[in-house]
Amino acid sequence: MKTSMLTPVVMVLTLAFAGCSSTTESGAVGASRSQLLLVSSAELNAMAEQAYAKLKADASAKGALNTDAAMLARVRAVAARIQPQTAVFRGDAPGWKWEVNIIESEQLNAFCMPGGKIMFNTGLVRKLNLSDEEIAVVMGHEIAHALREHSREQVSQATAAQTAIGIGTQLLGLGGGASQITGAAYEALVASRFSRAHETEADRIGLELMARAGYNPQAGVSLWQKMGSATGSGGGRPDFLSTHPSDSNRVQQIQALLPTVTPLYQAARR
């Protein structure tokens, strides 16, 4: 292979190694690994802020934003207790521009965008009849995604993969069709695997966050049991068919972590 052909490959590898770091401390649950971070958090946070503002504006125009005052107060109260605990994983996180809102929607969904922009669907709380502890499970999980900057990591992975795919097709003399096939294979075999890893990681960090905030981590078991019943998965959904761990596996992981996080909950209650 000619030196001129090697140069782009070396550049990609150099960027990949240079971009490996960790966004958080490991905490008591040991959530520690190196992450590929090729894009800046400031860039992604700015995009998230714009997207969140548009989401609120659209929901408001439809009369679907913050329509249930009692639920909004509950969700915001849970968030207010968890947010200071984020310092255990990231010293800068308590100072983020946190925002919590709810949208009138039947979908069982909630998320926390980069930078601390949180949204809960009313259907999640109503359909599952969530207690404050179970809301804290979801809240901790979604905040954990933002702390670990999983969105930034996914964008970085996609950037690195597409760069490598482009170089590979040039070196092998393949056409655009082959590049698309290779890209589809990456999405199916690599992206989904990382997404499952992100979900599992968020479960671990989220459980510690809620325990430190004084919410009983045992609620993680009841939440995922409710979720399994509501979605019809019943824990029987194979992991390899989904980007999310099965509900039964989530329950097993929570049960395994209870000896680690329960003392944090007990200390917080004292």
Side-chain angles (χ1 to χ4, degrees):
M1 189 180 294
K2 294 181 181 179
T3 304
S4 60
M5 290 185 176
L6 283 172
T7 302
V9 178
V10 172
M11 287 174 64
V12 171
L13 292 175
T14 301
L15 282 171
F17 283 118
C20 285
S21 59
S22 181
T23 58
T24 61
E25 301 297 326
S26 61
V29 294
S32 178
R33 66 179 173 83
S34 194
Q35 297 173 273
L36 180 64
L37 302 169
L38 301 179
V39 296
S40 75
S41 57
E43 223 176 350
L44 216 58
N45 288 357
M47 291 171 62
E49 195 163 349
Q50 291 176 1
Y52 192 73
K54 185 179 186 306
L55 181 65
K56 286 195 303 176
D58 291 346
S60 182
K62 296 174 184 176
L65 182 68
N66 298 334
T67 54
D68 187 329
M71 184 187 296
L72 180 62
R74 286 181 66 201
V75 172
R76 285 181 171 174
V78 172
R81 279 175 57 174
I82 291 178
Q83 286 159 15
Q85 310 309 319
T86 59
V88 171
F89 293 95
R90 288 185 65 138
D92 67 321
W96 286 357
K97 296 177 182 177
W98 294 94
E99 190 173 349
V100 183
N101 294 283
I102 61 174
I103 286 182
E104 193 70 34
S105 171
E106 292 300 303
Q107 289 187 333
L108 305 182
N109 194 30
F111 58 84
C112 179
M113 287 185 178
K117 306 300 183 186
I118 299 167
M119 190 70 75
F120 264 65
N121 285 1
T122 56
L124 178 66
V125 181
R126 289 187 191 133
K127 284 185 175 181
L128 301 187
N129 192 25
L130 297 186
S131 65
D132 285 358
E133 282 75 16
E134 289 166 340
I135 290 175
V137 177
V138 179
M139 185 73 70
H141 174 92
E142 299 306 331
I143 286 175
H145 279 306
L147 292 177
R148 284 295 282 164
E149 297 193 73
H150 286 153
S151 296
R152 181 182 173 200
E153 190 176 8
Q154 290 280 23
V155 171
S156 298
Q157 290 164 356
T159 299
Q162 290 305 315
T163 302
I165 289 166
I167 291 171
T169 53
Q170 287 178 15
L171 293 179
L172 297 174
L174 301 174
S179 176
Q180 290 176 3
I181 292 171
T182 310
Y186 169 80
E187 288 298 321
L189 300 177
V190 179
S192 62
R193 184 181 70 228
F194 281 129
S195 189
R196 285 198 295 273
H198 289 169
E199 290 294 326
T200 300
E201 194 170 58
D203 282 346
R204 296 175 67 85
I205 294 174
L207 203 66
E208 179 170 345
L209 286 172
M210 68 170 294
R212 288 184 180 277
Y215 291 106
N216 191 343
Q218 184 69 38
V221 174
S222 61
L223 170 75
W224 290 111
Q225 288 173 339
K226 284 183 178 181
M227 190 71 79
S229 297
T231 59
S233 68
R237 175 185 50 191
D239 272 357
F240 63 87
L241 293 180
S242 172
T243 59
H244 291 233
S246 66
D247 301 315
S248 62
N249 280 3
R250 276 184 146 140
V251 169
Q252 289 172 10
Q253 175 176 248
I254 288 167
Q255 290 172 330
L257 286 171
L258 285 177
T260 300
V261 298
T262 298
L264 301 176
Y265 161 67
Q266 293 169 339
R269 295 298 293 175
R270 288 196 296 269

